[in-house]
Amino acid sequence: AAAPQPDLPPLVEELTPRELDVAAAGARGLKNKAIADLLGISLETVKTHVGNAMDKLGARDRTQMAVTALLYGLIDPLDS
């Protein structure tokens, strides 16, 4: 993973492994239903993880969540 950029603010809170899984899947363009199927979890659980990850990354939407996670080097969207 890329090293975090020095000018990025500190994360609000570390993401859990599952939140990282959901963020990475979202960065690959997967919708919640596809993420749920991929990870074997419920749609409601995906929504919870997306919301938590967005809060922790200070993101206002899924796109910003994905970009922020990439900038911090937290996810590799090509690692499927």
Side-chain angles (χ1 to χ4, degrees), residues 6-8 13-14 16 19 25 27 29 31-32 41 43 52-53 67-68 78-80:
D7 57 346
L8 290 172
E13 188 180 337
E14 292 293 319
T16 67
E19 289 163 356
K31 304 286 186 220
N32 285 353
I41 57 179
L43 186 57
N52 290 343
V67 169
T68 303
L78 304 179
D79 180 27
S80 48

Side-chain angles (χ1 to χ4, degrees), residues 8-15 20 53 55-58 68-69 72 74:
L8 290 172
L11 289 172
V12 175
E13 188 180 337
E14 292 293 319
L15 274 69
L20 292 172
D55 288 345
K56 291 178 180 182
L57 293 169
T68 303
Y72 280 99
L74 299 176

Side-chain angles (χ1 to χ4, degrees), residues 52-76:
N52 290 343
M54 284 174 52
D55 288 345
K56 291 178 180 182
L57 293 169
R60 67 186 169 274
D61 57 35
R62 290 170 62 102
T63 301
Q64 189 180 30
M65 173 188 72
V67 169
T68 303
L70 286 165
L71 287 173
Y72 280 99
L74 299 176
I75 60 172
D76 178 359

